[in-house]
PDB file of all heavy atoms in Angstrom:
ATOM      1  N   GLY A   5    -136.230-106.492 -95.525  1.00  0.00           N
ATOM      2  CA  GLY A   5    -135.427-107.684 -95.324  1.00  0.00           C
ATOM      3  C   GLY A   5    -136.067-108.977 -95.768  1.00  0.00           C
ATOM      4  O   GLY A   5    -135.443-110.040 -95.671  1.00  0.00           O
ATOM      5  N   GLY A   6    -137.278-108.914 -96.251  1.00  0.00           N
ATOM      6  CA  GLY A   6    -137.937-110.118 -96.698  1.00  0.00           C
ATOM      7  C   GLY A   6    -137.337-110.651 -97.981  1.00  0.00           C
ATOM      8  O   GLY A   6    -136.540-109.996 -98.646  1.00  0.00           O
ATOM      9  N   GLY A   7    -137.730-111.851 -98.309  1.00  0.00           N
ATOM     10  CA  GLY A   7    -137.237-112.484 -99.515  1.00  0.00           C
ATOM     11  C   GLY A   7    -137.519-113.964 -99.492  1.00  0.00           C
ATOM     12  O   GLY A   7    -138.329-114.455 -98.700  1.00  0.00           O
ATOM     13  N   LEU A   8    -136.845-114.666-100.364  1.00  0.00           N
ATOM     14  CA  LEU A   8    -136.979-116.116-100.459  1.00  0.00           C
ATOM     15  C   LEU A   8    -135.926-116.781 -99.586  1.00  0.00           C
ATOM     16  O   LEU A   8    -134.740-116.446 -99.672  1.00  0.00           O
ATOM     17  CB  LEU A   8    -136.826-116.562-101.908  1.00  0.00           C
ATOM     18  CG  LEU A   8    -136.867-118.066-102.178  1.00  0.00           C
ATOM     19  CD1 LEU A   8    -138.239-118.634-101.837  1.00  0.00           C
ATOM     20  CD2 LEU A   8    -136.511-118.341-103.626  1.00  0.00           C
ATOM     21  N   VAL A   9    -136.357-117.709 -98.763  1.00  0.00           N
ATOM     22  CA  VAL A   9    -135.440-118.431 -97.889  1.00  0.00           C
ATOM     23  C   VAL A   9    -135.821-119.902 -97.876  1.00  0.00           C
ATOM     24  O   VAL A   9    -137.004-120.254 -97.932  1.00  0.00           O
ATOM     25  CB  VAL A   9    -135.456-117.834 -96.460  1.00  0.00           C
ATOM     26  CG1 VAL A   9    -136.839-117.940 -95.838  1.00  0.00           C
ATOM     27  CG2 VAL A   9    -134.413-118.502 -95.584  1.00  0.00           C
ATOM     28  N   GLN A  10    -134.824-120.755 -97.828  1.00  0.00           N
ATOM     29  CA  GLN A  10    -135.060-122.186 -97.749  1.00  0.00           C
ATOM     30  C   GLN A  10    -135.315-122.600 -96.307  1.00  0.00           C
ATOM     31  O   GLN A  10    -134.893-121.926 -95.369  1.00  0.00           O
ATOM     32  CB  GLN A  10    -133.870-122.948 -98.320  1.00  0.00           C
ATOM     33  CG  GLN A  10    -133.634-122.708 -99.797  1.00  0.00           C
ATOM     34  CD  GLN A  10    -132.471-123.514-100.345  1.00  0.00           C
ATOM     35  OE1 GLN A  10    -131.752-124.168 -99.602  1.00  0.00           O
ATOM     36  NE2 GLN A  10    -132.299-123.474-101.648  1.00  0.00           N
ATOM     37  N   PRO A  11    -136.006-123.712 -96.108  1.00  0.00           N
ATOM     38  CA  PRO A  11    -136.291-124.165 -94.736  1.00  0.00           C
ATOM     39  C   PRO A  11    -135.040-124.299 -93.872  1.00  0.00           C
ATOM     40  O   PRO A  11    -135.115-124.095 -92.665  1.00  0.00           O
ATOM     41  CB  PRO A  11    -136.969-125.514 -94.959  1.00  0.00           C
ATOM     42  CG  PRO A  11    -137.620-125.390 -96.301  1.00  0.00           C
ATOM     43  CD  PRO A  11    -136.658-124.570 -97.118  1.00  0.00           C
ATOM     44  N   GLY A  12    -133.918-124.624 -94.446  1.00  0.00           N
ATOM     45  CA  GLY A  12    -132.693-124.754 -93.673  1.00  0.00           C
ATOM     46  C   GLY A  12    -131.926-123.462 -93.498  1.00  0.00           C
ATOM     47  O   GLY A  12    -130.854-123.454 -92.877  1.00  0.00           O
ATOM     48  N   GLY A  13    -132.458-122.387 -94.016  1.00  0.00           N
ATOM     49  CA  GLY A  13    -131.761-121.122 -93.961  1.00  0.00           C
ATOM     50  C   GLY A  13    -132.229-120.226 -92.839  1.00  0.00           C
ATOM     51  O   GLY A  13    -132.829-120.667 -91.859  1.00  0.00           O
ATOM     52  N   SER A  14    -131.936-118.959 -92.989  1.00  0.00           N
ATOM     53  CA  SER A  14    -132.343-117.968 -92.010  1.00  0.00           C
ATOM     54  C   SER A  14    -132.548-116.646 -92.714  1.00  0.00           C
ATOM     55  O   SER A  14    -132.068-116.424 -93.830  1.00  0.00           O
ATOM     56  CB  SER A  14    -131.308-117.827 -90.888  1.00  0.00           C
ATOM     57  OG  SER A  14    -130.075-117.343 -91.387  1.00  0.00           O
ATOM     58  N   LEU A  15    -133.247-115.778 -92.044  1.00  0.00           N
ATOM     59  CA  LEU A  15    -133.566-114.475 -92.609  1.00  0.00           C
ATOM     60  C   LEU A  15    -133.762-113.496 -91.468  1.00  0.00           C
ATOM     61  O   LEU A  15    -134.297-113.860 -90.417  1.00  0.00           O
ATOM     62  CB  LEU A  15    -134.838-114.568 -93.451  1.00  0.00           C
ATOM     63  CG  LEU A  15    -135.151-113.431 -94.430  1.00  0.00           C
ATOM     64  CD1 LEU A  15    -134.123-113.408 -95.556  1.00  0.00           C
ATOM     65  CD2 LEU A  15    -136.552-113.612 -95.003  1.00  0.00           C
ATOM     66  N   ARG A  16    -133.329-112.278 -91.664  1.00  0.00           N
ATOM     67  CA  ARG A  16    -133.531-111.249 -90.661  1.00  0.00           C
ATOM     68  C   ARG A  16    -134.329-110.100 -91.246  1.00  0.00           C
ATOM     69  O   ARG A  16    -133.930-109.491 -92.242  1.00  0.00           O
ATOM     70  CB  ARG A  16    -132.197-110.720 -90.115  1.00  0.00           C
ATOM     71  CG  ARG A  16    -132.395-109.810 -88.897  1.00  0.00           C
ATOM     72  CD  ARG A  16    -131.101-109.250 -88.353  1.00  0.00           C
ATOM     73  NE  ARG A  16    -130.580-108.156 -89.169  1.00  0.00           N
ATOM     74  CZ  ARG A  16    -129.681-107.275 -88.754  1.00  0.00           C
ATOM     75  NH1 ARG A  16    -129.178-107.366 -87.524  1.00  0.00           N
ATOM     76  NH2 ARG A  16    -129.256-106.328 -89.563  1.00  0.00           N
ATOM     77  N   LEU A  17    -135.431-109.829 -90.610  1.00  0.00           N
ATOM     78  CA  LEU A  17    -136.258-108.700 -90.982  1.00  0.00           C
ATOM     79  C   LEU A  17    -135.912-107.505 -90.110  1.00  0.00           C
ATOM     80  O   LEU A  17    -135.544-107.658 -88.950  1.00  0.00           O
ATOM     81  CB  LEU A  17    -137.739-109.031 -90.823  1.00  0.00           C
ATOM     82  CG  LEU A  17    -138.244-110.298 -91.513  1.00  0.00           C
ATOM     83  CD1 LEU A  17    -139.747-110.435 -91.304  1.00  0.00           C
ATOM     84  CD2 LEU A  17    -137.893-110.295 -92.990  1.00  0.00           C
ATOM     85  N   SER A  18    -136.045-106.331 -90.680  1.00  0.00           N
ATOM     86  CA  SER A  18    -135.772-105.107 -89.952  1.00  0.00           C
ATOM     87  C   SER A  18    -136.984-104.198 -89.992  1.00  0.00           C
ATOM     88  O   SER A  18    -137.719-104.171 -90.979  1.00  0.00           O
ATOM     89  CB  SER A  18    -134.567-104.373 -90.550  1.00  0.00           C
ATOM     90  OG  SER A  18    -133.393-105.147 -90.474  1.00  0.00           O
ATOM     91  N   CYS A  19    -137.168-103.479 -88.922  1.00  0.00           N
ATOM     92  CA  CYS A  19    -138.215-102.474 -88.849  1.00  0.00           C
ATOM     93  C   CYS A  19    -137.572-101.175 -88.415  1.00  0.00           C
ATOM     94  O   CYS A  19    -137.059-101.072 -87.295  1.00  0.00           O
ATOM     95  CB  CYS A  19    -139.310-102.891 -87.867  1.00  0.00           C
ATOM     96  SG  CYS A  19    -140.611-101.650 -87.642  1.00  0.00           S
ATOM     97  N   ALA A  20    -137.577-100.209 -89.299  1.00  0.00           N
ATOM     98  CA  ALA A  20    -137.038 -98.895 -88.995  1.00  0.00           C
ATOM     99  C   ALA A  20    -138.172 -97.989 -88.548  1.00  0.00           C
ATOM    100  O   ALA A  20    -139.157 -97.831 -89.264  1.00  0.00           O
ATOM    101  CB  ALA A  20    -136.335 -98.318 -90.214  1.00  0.00           C
ATOM    102  N   ALA A  21    -138.011 -97.432 -87.382  1.00  0.00           N
ATOM    103  CA  ALA A  21    -139.049 -96.591 -86.805  1.00  0.00           C
ATOM    104  C   ALA A  21    -138.538 -95.167 -86.647  1.00  0.00           C
ATOM    105  O   ALA A  21    -137.363 -94.932 -86.370  1.00  0.00           O
ATOM    106  CB  ALA A  21    -139.495 -97.140 -85.451  1.00  0.00           C
ATOM    107  N   SER A  22    -139.422 -94.232 -86.803  1.00  0.00           N
ATOM    108  CA  SER A  22    -139.072 -92.832 -86.625  1.00  0.00           C
ATOM    109  C   SER A  22    -140.299 -92.064 -86.163  1.00  0.00           C
ATOM    110  O   SER A  22    -141.433 -92.528 -86.293  1.00  0.00           O
ATOM    111  CB  SER A  22    -138.526 -92.228 -87.927  1.00  0.00           C
ATOM    112  OG  SER A  22    -139.508 -92.240 -88.948  1.00  0.00           O
ATOM    113  N   GLY A  23    -140.053 -90.889 -85.631  1.00  0.00           N
ATOM    114  CA  GLY A  23    -141.135 -90.014 -85.255  1.00  0.00           C
ATOM    115  C   GLY A  23    -141.694 -90.227 -83.863  1.00  0.00           C
ATOM    116  O   GLY A  23    -142.732 -89.648 -83.532  1.00  0.00           O
ATOM    117  N   PHE A  24    -141.014 -91.030 -83.059  1.00  0.00           N
ATOM    118  CA  PHE A  24    -141.480 -91.248 -81.694  1.00  0.00           C
ATOM    119  C   PHE A  24    -140.317 -91.676 -80.812  1.00  0.00           C
ATOM    120  O   PHE A  24    -139.253 -92.058 -81.306  1.00  0.00           O
ATOM    121  CB  PHE A  24    -142.611 -92.284 -81.653  1.00  0.00           C
ATOM    122  CG  PHE A  24    -142.189 -93.659 -82.080  1.00  0.00           C
ATOM    123  CD1 PHE A  24    -141.822 -94.613 -81.143  1.00  0.00           C
ATOM    124  CD2 PHE A  24    -142.176 -94.007 -83.417  1.00  0.00           C
ATOM    125  CE1 PHE A  24    -141.446 -95.886 -81.539  1.00  0.00           C
ATOM    126  CE2 PHE A  24    -141.802 -95.276 -83.830  1.00  0.00           C
ATOM    127  CZ  PHE A  24    -141.437 -96.217 -82.884  1.00  0.00           C
ATOM    128  N   THR A  25    -140.556 -91.616 -79.529  1.00  0.00           N
ATOM    129  CA  THR A  25    -139.565 -92.073 -78.562  1.00  0.00           C
ATOM    130  C   THR A  25    -139.765 -93.556 -78.324  1.00  0.00           C
ATOM    131  O   THR A  25    -140.791 -93.976 -77.780  1.00  0.00           O
ATOM    132  CB  THR A  25    -139.689 -91.303 -77.242  1.00  0.00           C
ATOM    133  OG1 THR A  25    -139.511 -89.908 -77.485  1.00  0.00           O
ATOM    134  CG2 THR A  25    -138.645 -91.780 -76.245  1.00  0.00           C
ATOM    135  N   PHE A  26    -138.784 -94.342 -78.738  1.00  0.00           N
ATOM    136  CA  PHE A  26    -138.927 -95.786 -78.665  1.00  0.00           C
ATOM    137  C   PHE A  26    -139.162 -96.280 -77.249  1.00  0.00           C
ATOM    138  O   PHE A  26    -139.833 -97.290 -77.043  1.00  0.00           O
ATOM    139  CB  PHE A  26    -137.701 -96.462 -79.273  1.00  0.00           C
ATOM    140  CG  PHE A  26    -137.828 -97.949 -79.361  1.00  0.00           C
ATOM    141  CD1 PHE A  26    -138.616 -98.535 -80.329  1.00  0.00           C
ATOM    142  CD2 PHE A  26    -137.147 -98.766 -78.475  1.00  0.00           C
ATOM    143  CE1 PHE A  26    -138.741 -99.914 -80.414  1.00  0.00           C
ATOM    144  CE2 PHE A  26    -137.254-100.146 -78.549  1.00  0.00           C
ATOM    145  CZ  PHE A  26    -138.057-100.718 -79.523  1.00  0.00           C
ATOM    146  N   ASP A  27    -138.627 -95.586 -76.271  1.00  0.00           N
ATOM    147  CA  ASP A  27    -138.785 -96.009 -74.881  1.00  0.00           C
ATOM    148  C   ASP A  27    -140.242 -96.087 -74.449  1.00  0.00           C
ATOM    149  O   ASP A  27    -140.561 -96.772 -73.480  1.00  0.00           O
ATOM    150  CB  ASP A  27    -138.038 -95.063 -73.953  1.00  0.00           C
ATOM    151  CG  ASP A  27    -136.537 -95.206 -74.032  1.00  0.00           C
ATOM    152  OD1 ASP A  27    -136.057 -96.182 -74.636  1.00  0.00           O
ATOM    153  OD2 ASP A  27    -135.836 -94.334 -73.487  1.00  0.00           O
ATOM    154  N   ASP A  28    -141.095 -95.384 -75.145  1.00  0.00           N
ATOM    155  CA  ASP A  28    -142.503 -95.353 -74.775  1.00  0.00           C
ATOM    156  C   ASP A  28    -143.336 -96.386 -75.511  1.00  0.00           C
ATOM    157  O   ASP A  28    -144.550 -96.452 -75.306  1.00  0.00           O
ATOM    158  CB  ASP A  28    -143.094 -93.966 -75.049  1.00  0.00           C
ATOM    159  CG  ASP A  28    -142.442 -92.882 -74.210  1.00  0.00           C
ATOM    160  OD1 ASP A  28    -141.915 -93.205 -73.126  1.00  0.00           O
ATOM    161  OD2 ASP A  28    -142.473 -91.710 -74.636  1.00  0.00           O
ATOM    162  N   TYR A  29    -142.703 -97.187 -76.333  1.00  0.00           N
ATOM    163  CA  TYR A  29    -143.449 -98.065 -77.226  1.00  0.00           C
ATOM    164  C   TYR A  29    -143.040 -99.519 -77.099  1.00  0.00           C
ATOM    165  O   TYR A  29    -141.932 -99.859 -76.682  1.00  0.00           O
ATOM    166  CB  TYR A  29    -143.252 -97.625 -78.685  1.00  0.00           C
ATOM    167  CG  TYR A  29    -143.977 -96.352 -79.038  1.00  0.00           C
ATOM    168  CD1 TYR A  29    -143.476 -95.118 -78.662  1.00  0.00           C
ATOM    169  CD2 TYR A  29    -145.169 -96.395 -79.753  1.00  0.00           C
ATOM    170  CE1 TYR A  29    -144.147 -93.952 -78.983  1.00  0.00           C
ATOM    171  CE2 TYR A  29    -145.839 -95.239 -80.084  1.00  0.00           C
ATOM    172  CZ  TYR A  29    -145.326 -94.018 -79.698  1.00  0.00           C
ATOM    173  OH  TYR A  29    -145.987 -92.860 -80.016  1.00  0.00           O
ATOM    174  N   ALA A  30    -143.963-100.364 -77.476  1.00  0.00           N
ATOM    175  CA  ALA A  30    -143.675-101.756 -77.765  1.00  0.00           C
ATOM    176  C   ALA A  30    -143.783-101.940 -79.273  1.00  0.00           C
ATOM    177  O   ALA A  30    -144.670-101.370 -79.908  1.00  0.00           O
ATOM    178  CB  ALA A  30    -144.655-102.681 -77.048  1.00  0.00           C
ATOM    179  N   ILE A  31    -142.872-102.707 -79.822  1.00  0.00           N
ATOM    180  CA  ILE A  31    -142.862-102.959 -81.255  1.00  0.00           C
ATOM    181  C   ILE A  31    -143.112-104.438 -81.498  1.00  0.00           C
ATOM    182  O   ILE A  31    -142.454-105.287 -80.891  1.00  0.00           O
ATOM    183  CB  ILE A  31    -141.532-102.548 -81.906  1.00  0.00           C
ATOM    184  CG1 ILE A  31    -141.162-101.104 -81.535  1.00  0.00           C
ATOM    185  CG2 ILE A  31    -141.618-102.725 -83.423  1.00  0.00           C
ATOM    186  CD1 ILE A  31    -142.129-100.067 -82.062  1.00  0.00           C
ATOM    187  N   GLY A  32    -144.039-104.718 -82.365  1.00  0.00           N
ATOM    188  CA  GLY A  32    -144.366-106.099 -82.655  1.00  0.00           C
ATOM    189  C   GLY A  32    -144.285-106.418 -84.130  1.00  0.00           C
ATOM    190  O   GLY A  32    -144.366-105.529 -84.982  1.00  0.00           O
ATOM    191  N   TRP A  33    -144.094-107.688 -84.401  1.00  0.00           N
ATOM    192  CA  TRP A  33    -144.136-108.208 -85.751  1.00  0.00           C
ATOM    193  C   TRP A  33    -145.416-109.003 -85.937  1.00  0.00           C
ATOM    194  O   TRP A  33    -145.768-109.833 -85.089  1.00  0.00           O
ATOM    195  CB  TRP A  33    -142.935-109.103 -86.050  1.00  0.00           C
ATOM    196  CG  TRP A  33    -141.656-108.359 -86.256  1.00  0.00           C
ATOM    197  CD1 TRP A  33    -140.683-108.130 -85.340  1.00  0.00           C
ATOM    198  CD2 TRP A  33    -141.223-107.753 -87.480  1.00  0.00           C
ATOM    199  NE1 TRP A  33    -139.651-107.416 -85.911  1.00  0.00           N
ATOM    200  CE2 TRP A  33    -139.959-107.174 -87.217  1.00  0.00           C
ATOM    201  CE3 TRP A  33    -141.767-107.647 -88.751  1.00  0.00           C
ATOM    202  CZ2 TRP A  33    -139.237-106.494 -88.196  1.00  0.00           C
ATOM    203  CZ3 TRP A  33    -141.054-106.968 -89.725  1.00  0.00           C
ATOM    204  CH2 TRP A  33    -139.804-106.402 -89.443  1.00  0.00           C
ATOM    205  N   PHE A  34    -146.076-108.738 -87.025  1.00  0.00           N
ATOM    206  CA  PHE A  34    -147.271-109.464 -87.413  1.00  0.00           C
ATOM    207  C   PHE A  34    -147.059-110.029 -88.806  1.00  0.00           C
ATOM    208  O   PHE A  34    -146.169-109.594 -89.538  1.00  0.00           O
ATOM    209  CB  PHE A  34    -148.502-108.547 -87.398  1.00  0.00           C
ATOM    210  CG  PHE A  34    -148.953-108.156 -86.020  1.00  0.00           C
ATOM    211  CD1 PHE A  34    -148.216-107.275 -85.248  1.00  0.00           C
ATOM    212  CD2 PHE A  34    -150.126-108.676 -85.491  1.00  0.00           C
ATOM    213  CE1 PHE A  34    -148.625-106.911 -83.982  1.00  0.00           C
ATOM    214  CE2 PHE A  34    -150.556-108.321 -84.221  1.00  0.00           C
ATOM    215  CZ  PHE A  34    -149.806-107.440 -83.468  1.00  0.00           C
ATOM    216  N   ARG A  35    -147.876-110.975 -89.149  1.00  0.00           N
ATOM    217  CA  ARG A  35    -147.787-111.533 -90.484  1.00  0.00           C
ATOM    218  C   ARG A  35    -149.169-111.911 -90.983  1.00  0.00           C
ATOM    219  O   ARG A  35    -150.078-112.182 -90.204  1.00  0.00           O
ATOM    220  CB  ARG A  35    -146.861-112.750 -90.533  1.00  0.00           C
ATOM    221  CG  ARG A  35    -147.375-113.964 -89.762  1.00  0.00           C
ATOM    222  CD  ARG A  35    -146.329-115.058 -89.742  1.00  0.00           C
ATOM    223  NE  ARG A  35    -146.786-116.248 -89.040  1.00  0.00           N
ATOM    224  CZ  ARG A  35    -146.017-117.295 -88.774  1.00  0.00           C
ATOM    225  NH1 ARG A  35    -144.741-117.302 -89.157  1.00  0.00           N
ATOM    226  NH2 ARG A  35    -146.519-118.346 -88.133  1.00  0.00           N
ATOM    227  N   GLN A  36    -149.292-111.913 -92.282  1.00  0.00           N
ATOM    228  CA  GLN A  36    -150.539-112.304 -92.903  1.00  0.00           C
ATOM    229  C   GLN A  36    -150.234-113.171 -94.112  1.00  0.00           C
ATOM    230  O   GLN A  36    -149.594-112.722 -95.064  1.00  0.00           O
ATOM    231  CB  GLN A  36    -151.363-111.082 -93.314  1.00  0.00           C
ATOM    232  CG  GLN A  36    -152.752-111.434 -93.819  1.00  0.00           C
ATOM    233  CD  GLN A  36    -153.649-110.221 -93.919  1.00  0.00           C
ATOM    234  OE1 GLN A  36    -153.177-109.096 -94.044  1.00  0.00           O
ATOM    235  NE2 GLN A  36    -154.947-110.445 -93.860  1.00  0.00           N
ATOM    236  N   ALA A  37    -150.683-114.397 -94.039  1.00  0.00           N
ATOM    237  CA  ALA A  37    -150.532-115.335 -95.138  1.00  0.00           C
ATOM    238  C   ALA A  37    -151.753-115.251 -96.037  1.00  0.00           C
ATOM    239  O   ALA A  37    -152.833-114.824 -95.604  1.00  0.00           O
ATOM    240  CB  ALA A  37    -150.351-116.754 -94.608  1.00  0.00           C
ATOM    241  N   PRO A  38    -151.610-115.664 -97.283  1.00  0.00           N
ATOM    242  CA  PRO A  38    -152.751-115.620 -98.198  1.00  0.00           C
ATOM    243  C   PRO A  38    -153.959-116.363 -97.642  1.00  0.00           C
ATOM    244  O   PRO A  38    -153.843-117.504 -97.194  1.00  0.00           O
ATOM    245  CB  PRO A  38    -152.221-116.301 -99.461  1.00  0.00           C
ATOM    246  CG  PRO A  38    -150.748-116.066 -99.416  1.00  0.00           C
ATOM    247  CD  PRO A  38    -150.389-116.147 -97.953  1.00  0.00           C
ATOM    248  N   GLY A  39    -155.088-115.708 -97.644  1.00  0.00           N
ATOM    249  CA  GLY A  39    -156.313-116.324 -97.177  1.00  0.00           C
ATOM    250  C   GLY A  39    -156.451-116.453 -95.678  1.00  0.00           C
ATOM    251  O   GLY A  39    -157.406-117.080 -95.213  1.00  0.00           O
ATOM    252  N   LYS A  40    -155.537-115.872 -94.933  1.00  0.00           N
ATOM    253  CA  LYS A  40    -155.569-115.981 -93.487  1.00  0.00           C
ATOM    254  C   LYS A  40    -155.597-114.604 -92.843  1.00  0.00           C
ATOM    255  O   LYS A  40    -155.236-113.601 -93.455  1.00  0.00           O
ATOM    256  CB  LYS A  40    -154.368-116.769 -92.964  1.00  0.00           C
ATOM    257  CG  LYS A  40    -154.269-118.187 -93.492  1.00  0.00           C
ATOM    258  CD  LYS A  40    -153.097-118.938 -92.890  1.00  0.00           C
ATOM    259  CE  LYS A  40    -153.291-119.178 -91.412  1.00  0.00           C
ATOM    260  NZ  LYS A  40    -152.192-120.009 -90.832  1.00  0.00           N
ATOM    261  N   GLU A  41    -156.035-114.585 -91.600  1.00  0.00           N
ATOM    262  CA  GLU A  41    -156.054-113.343 -90.851  1.00  0.00           C
ATOM    263  C   GLU A  41    -154.648-112.959 -90.420  1.00  0.00           C
ATOM    264  O   GLU A  41    -153.772-113.814 -90.252  1.00  0.00           O
ATOM    265  CB  GLU A  41    -156.949-113.486 -89.620  1.00  0.00           C
ATOM    266  CG  GLU A  41    -158.413-113.768 -89.921  1.00  0.00           C
ATOM    267  CD  GLU A  41    -159.109-112.589 -90.538  1.00  0.00           C
ATOM    268  OE1 GLU A  41    -158.729-111.436 -90.240  1.00  0.00           O
ATOM    269  OE2 GLU A  41    -160.045-112.803 -91.322  1.00  0.00           O
ATOM    270  N   ARG A  42    -154.453-111.686 -90.241  1.00  0.00           N
ATOM    271  CA  ARG A  42    -153.181-111.218 -89.730  1.00  0.00           C
ATOM    272  C   ARG A  42    -153.004-111.691 -88.285  1.00  0.00           C
ATOM    273  O   ARG A  42    -153.931-111.609 -87.480  1.00  0.00           O
ATOM    274  CB  ARG A  42    -153.108-109.697 -89.808  1.00  0.00           C
ATOM    275  CG  ARG A  42    -151.746-109.119 -89.473  1.00  0.00           C
ATOM    276  CD  ARG A  42    -151.697-107.618 -89.742  1.00  0.00           C
ATOM    277  NE  ARG A  42    -151.905-107.322 -91.151  1.00  0.00           N
ATOM    278  CZ  ARG A  42    -151.824-106.094 -91.666  1.00  0.00           C
ATOM    279  NH1 ARG A  42    -151.535-105.062 -90.879  1.00  0.00           N
ATOM    280  NH2 ARG A  42    -152.038-105.907 -92.956  1.00  0.00           N
ATOM    281  N   GLU A  43    -151.823-112.182 -87.969  1.00  0.00           N
ATOM    282  CA  GLU A  43    -151.568-112.717 -86.650  1.00  0.00           C
ATOM    283  C   GLU A  43    -150.290-112.135 -86.064  1.00  0.00           C
ATOM    284  O   GLU A  43    -149.353-111.795 -86.784  1.00  0.00           O
ATOM    285  CB  GLU A  43    -151.462-114.243 -86.688  1.00  0.00           C
ATOM    286  CG  GLU A  43    -150.311-114.758 -87.532  1.00  0.00           C
ATOM    287  CD  GLU A  43    -150.178-116.269 -87.508  1.00  0.00           C
ATOM    288  OE1 GLU A  43    -150.844-116.917 -86.680  1.00  0.00           O
ATOM    289  OE2 GLU A  43    -149.399-116.801 -88.321  1.00  0.00           O
ATOM    290  N   GLY A  44    -150.272-112.048 -84.753  1.00  0.00           N
ATOM    291  CA  GLY A  44    -149.085-111.586 -84.071  1.00  0.00           C
ATOM    292  C   GLY A  44    -148.006-112.648 -84.068  1.00  0.00           C
ATOM    293  O   GLY A  44    -148.282-113.840 -83.929  1.00  0.00           O
ATOM    294  N   VAL A  45    -146.763-112.218 -84.212  1.00  0.00           N
ATOM    295  CA  VAL A  45    -145.618-113.119 -84.252  1.00  0.00           C
ATOM    296  C   VAL A  45    -144.729-112.934 -83.032  1.00  0.00           C
ATOM    297  O   VAL A  45    -144.401-113.892 -82.331  1.00  0.00           O
ATOM    298  CB  VAL A  45    -144.798-112.913 -85.538  1.00  0.00           C
ATOM    299  CG1 VAL A  45    -143.548-113.792 -85.528  1.00  0.00           C
ATOM    300  CG2 VAL A  45    -145.650-113.203 -86.763  1.00  0.00           C
ATOM    301  N   ALA A  46    -144.329-111.711 -82.779  1.00  0.00           N
ATOM    302  CA  ALA A  46    -143.432-111.420 -81.672  1.00  0.00           C
ATOM    303  C   ALA A  46    -143.552-109.962 -81.306  1.00  0.00           C
ATOM    304  O   ALA A  46    -143.978-109.133 -82.108  1.00  0.00           O
ATOM    305  CB  ALA A  46    -141.984-111.763 -82.036  1.00  0.00           C
ATOM    306  N   CYS A  47    -143.151-109.656 -80.096  1.00  0.00           N
ATOM    307  CA  CYS A  47    -143.225-108.287 -79.618  1.00  0.00           C
ATOM    308  C   CYS A  47    -142.061-108.038 -78.674  1.00  0.00           C
ATOM    309  O   CYS A  47    -141.627-108.944 -77.953  1.00  0.00           O
ATOM    310  CB  CYS A  47    -144.562-108.041 -78.909  1.00  0.00           C
ATOM    311  SG  CYS A  47    -144.781-106.371 -78.259  1.00  0.00           S
ATOM    312  N   ILE A  48    -141.579-106.822 -78.674  1.00  0.00           N
ATOM    313  CA  ILE A  48    -140.513-106.437 -77.760  1.00  0.00           C
ATOM    314  C   ILE A  48    -140.824-105.064 -77.189  1.00  0.00           C
ATOM    315  O   ILE A  48    -141.326-104.185 -77.889  1.00  0.00           O
ATOM    316  CB  ILE A  48    -139.135-106.446 -78.452  1.00  0.00           C
ATOM    317  CG1 ILE A  48    -138.012-106.217 -77.437  1.00  0.00           C
ATOM    318  CG2 ILE A  48    -139.079-105.419 -79.578  1.00  0.00           C
ATOM    319  CD1 ILE A  48    -136.623-106.472 -78.002  1.00  0.00           C
ATOM    320  N   THR A  49    -140.538-104.905 -75.912  1.00  0.00           N
ATOM    321  CA  THR A  49    -140.699-103.619 -75.261  1.00  0.00           C
ATOM    322  C   THR A  49    -139.348-102.946 -75.142  1.00  0.00           C
ATOM    323  O   THR A  49    -138.300-103.572 -75.287  1.00  0.00           O
ATOM    324  CB  THR A  49    -141.333-103.768 -73.873  1.00  0.00           C
ATOM    325  OG1 THR A  49    -140.477-104.563 -73.033  1.00  0.00           O
ATOM    326  CG2 THR A  49    -142.691-104.447 -73.963  1.00  0.00           C
ATOM    327  N   SER A  50    -139.366-101.663 -74.855  1.00  0.00           N
ATOM    328  CA  SER A  50    -138.131-100.900 -74.796  1.00  0.00           C
ATOM    329  C   SER A  50    -137.205-101.365 -73.681  1.00  0.00           C
ATOM    330  O   SER A  50    -135.991-101.158 -73.759  1.00  0.00           O
ATOM    331  CB  SER A  50    -138.435 -99.410 -74.633  1.00  0.00           C
ATOM    332  OG  SER A  50    -139.152 -99.157 -73.442  1.00  0.00           O
TER     333      SER A  50
END
C-alpha cells in the first residue's frame, strides 16, 4: 500500500498475515527512514 502521497493526502498501508492465530499476537508497524534507525510507529493487539 505504500507510494507517493502529498502532505494534504492520505494513505492506507496493509499488512497481510498468515501462518498463525492472530488472537495470540500483537501486530505493529515500524518504519525506517534513510540514515535513521528503525522505529516503532503503532501497534495493535487482537
